[in-house]
Amino acid sequence: MSPITAPAPANPHDPSTGYLPWSWHRPWSAEDRTLLDEGLAGERIIARVRLWLTAVIALVPLYAVLTEPNREERLAGLGVALVVMLAALAIDVLVRRGLYLSWLGFATSAFDVTAISALLVAYLALGNPHLAVNSSVVYSLYLLALAATCLRYDPRICITTGALATGQYVTVVLVAILAFPVNTDGALLAAHGRVSVADQVGRVILIVAGTVLATTIVLRTVRLRSLSIYDSLTGLHNRGFFQDRLVEELLRATRYRRPLAVAILDVDQFKQFNDTHGHPAGDQALRLVAATLRNAVRRTDVVARYGGEEFVLIFPETSAEEALLKLDEIRRGMPRLPIETSHGTVHGVSVSGGIAAWPEDGTWPDELLHAADDRLLEAKRGGRNRVIGPALGVAIPGAGGYHRPSNPALRPVQGAIPRSE
């Protein structure tokens, strides 16, 4: 999408707009990538608990096999438990290595539910429908699997897991009732009780209720997180989130030795724009600038409102020259943004920017921000409406690219970051 046609973003804290990462009326929107790290942390906890739990559960059928080796259902239970434990070990190794994608939470949740259902199917295959539908221990594992979905911070996983658990359990119950002569074998009745339709309906209702509760918890958690990391005016991430992500991206760049660029962008003479056209027009201008930035960068890039009319960007795996060209493309589109004022439509604002690169300009967040802010100040002193990069050049109106500035080797300074002019 072209930056000059970007619409003003909706209020990120108004659930009716659907801008929030998740809302009940729009639960299947694209995942919020800011939650993937939290999802990975939760998946690691679940993987470790799953591994230990399956190991403990496997002791129950193992003891049963050792005490009653001729009981087929004991052998079936031990076989399923061992297979699940090996799979749990493989998943634990996978997530411990950080190999977490958005679909992995769906896959592991489906695995948890299907493993529970597989044990019930094994009981059916051995001709014991009463144990399949009346086992309180195995049934309780469904509720445990639903509770674990809360740690993945994705309501879609809660809904999918609940639907899968409901469908599989209802199928097991229907097969048990329709395909087997239940409540006729005195030995099975004595050992596992009667098969009651009312009891099974109650169990299904509990699974559905657990799904609704887990989804509500996640939606609430995501909303609270959204309120803490998003700017209410522009819908961009806020300064605190940006600072946290900058540390993470620097660690990633250091680990993999990949380039990284950081930019600070400032709306030129914004106070004068507010005084001339009014604060509502100024707010609209900021929203349009924010929407332009968000739509012009990649999903892996980070855009945030740093404060006032300042915006900051992180370009992972991007050289300073590539970041300069991208920021200049954005700068050239800003004057064509249509801004509605009380006196009619005015066209756009100009912006200035400074870019810093890792590791040339520093290896710490404050060093990169100092360098970028120094270049932003140089751009504003040089006439505004331009972008300066580190030892590369400056993009200015009509340049058609960039040329070397008079002082390209600006270095970081110590102390607080100076306020842009």
Side-chain angles (χ1 to χ4, degrees):
M1 180 181 293
S2 172
I4 66 172
T5 61
N11 186 338
H13 306 309
D14 181 2
S16 65
T17 65
Y19 182 81
L20 282 176
W22 308 110
S23 56
W24 266 113
H25 75 284
R26 192 182 179 187
W28 300 102
S29 55
E31 73 273 3
D32 182 2
R33 294 188 63 86
T34 65
L35 294 173
L36 286 180
D37 289 339
E38 283 75 8
L40 172 58
E43 194 67 52
R44 285 173 174 165
I45 296 174
I46 296 170
R48 184 51 53 93
V49 171
R50 181 192 297 112
L51 180 59
W52 285 105
L53 184 61
T54 54
V56 172
I57 291 177
L59 296 176
V60 177
L62 177 61
Y63 174 78
V65 168
L66 293 176
T67 56
E68 298 180 276
N70 297 325
R71 295 285 295 276
E72 292 182 342
E73 64 268 21
R74 308 299 190 190
L75 292 173
L78 178 61
V80 172
L82 291 177
V83 170
V84 171
M85 186 174 66
L86 291 176
L89 177 60
I91 294 173
D92 182 66
V93 172
L94 183 68
V95 298
R96 287 290 163 184
R97 294 182 177 179
L99 302 177
Y100 184 72
L101 300 174
S102 58
W103 55 264
L104 184 59
F106 289 92
T108 55
S109 296
F111 166 78
D112 292 338
V113 171
T114 304
I116 299 167
S117 300
L119 182 56
L120 300 182
V121 170
Y123 293 150
L124 289 178
L126 295 174
N128 196 334
H130 296 74
L131 179 59
V133 300
N134 285 346
S135 174
S136 58
V137 174
V138 179
Y139 168 79
S140 299
L141 295 178
Y142 281 118
L143 303 180
L144 188 61
L146 286 173
T149 60
C150 294
L151 295 177
R152 296 180 172 98
Y153 299 98
D154 190 335
R156 299 174 303 172
I157 296 178
C158 299
I159 296 172
T160 303
T161 304
L164 189 62
T166 302
Q168 290 183 1
Y169 187 72
V170 167
T171 301
V172 169
V173 172
L174 290 177
V175 171
I177 294 176
L178 299 178
F180 291 88
V182 295
N183 299 332
T184 59
D185 190 318
L188 291 179
L189 287 173
H192 307 295
R194 295 180 58 84
V195 175
S196 169
V197 174
D199 289 345
Q200 301 310 315
V201 171
R203 289 188 172 201
V204 172
I205 291 175
L206 281 177
I207 294 177
V208 174
T211 302
V212 173
L213 180 60
T215 306
T216 303
I217 290 173
V218 172
L219 287 171
R220 180 64 175 169
T221 301
V222 171
R223 176 167 175 78
L224 291 175
R225 175 175 169 78
S226 175
L227 291 171
S228 70
I229 67 174
Y230 284 102
D231 173 61
S232 60
L233 175 66
T234 64
L236 296 179
H237 292 298
N238 59 26
R239 180 170 180 165
F241 175 85
F242 168 81
Q243 291 173 331
D244 290 341
R245 278 297 300 271
L246 181 55
V247 172
E248 294 172 6
E249 294 298 338
L250 282 172
L251 291 174
R252 188 173 292 112
T254 302
R255 183 183 305 116
Y256 298 108
R257 308 302 300 176
R258 303 294 297 170
L260 175 73
V262 176
I264 301 180
L265 198 71
D266 186 85
V267 180
D268 294 327
Q269 298 177 322
F270 186 69
K271 183 179 185 301
Q272 180 179 339
F273 183 93
N274 268 338
D275 293 340
T276 303
H277 301 290
H279 288 281
D283 289 346
Q284 186 190 15
L286 292 177
R287 286 194 293 265
L288 283 169
V289 171
T292 299
L293 292 172
R294 181 170 52 242
N295 293 331
V297 301
R298 305 165 300 181
R299 292 188 65 192
T300 53
D301 299 331
V302 178
V303 184
R305 185 184 180 191
Y306 204 60
E309 67 274 20
E310 278 192 336
F311 300 88
V312 283
L313 302 95
I314 304 174
F315 297 100
E317 300 193 17
T318 303
S319 67
E321 181 176 358
E322 293 170 333
L324 177 65
L325 294 175
K326 169 54 69 174
L327 213 59
D328 183 53
E329 178 187 349
I330 295 172
R331 176 194 64 80
R332 287 186 278 111
M334 290 295 180
R336 298 192 292 275
L337 291 174
I339 302 173
E340 299 295 331
T341 72
S342 58
H343 305 292
T345 302
V346 298
H347 285 281
V349 293
S350 67
V351 296
S352 300
I355 298 172
W358 176 92
E360 295 85 357
D361 291 308
T363 57
W364 295 94
D366 58 342
E367 293 175 332
L368 292 177
L369 291 173
H370 277 306
D373 199 72
D374 282 342
R375 291 174 183 127
L376 170 62
L377 290 172
E378 180 76 3
K380 297 176 83 67
R381 294 189 185 107
R384 296 185 173 86
N385 194 20
R386 62 196 63 209
V387 181
I388 294 181
L392 289 169
V394 52
I396 61 175
Y402 64 86
H403 65 82
R404 294 189 180 280
S406 58
N407 183 20
L410 296 171
R411 303 306 305 164
V413 297
Q414 300 298 320
I417 300 176
R419 294 182 60 84
S420 300
E421 296 178 345

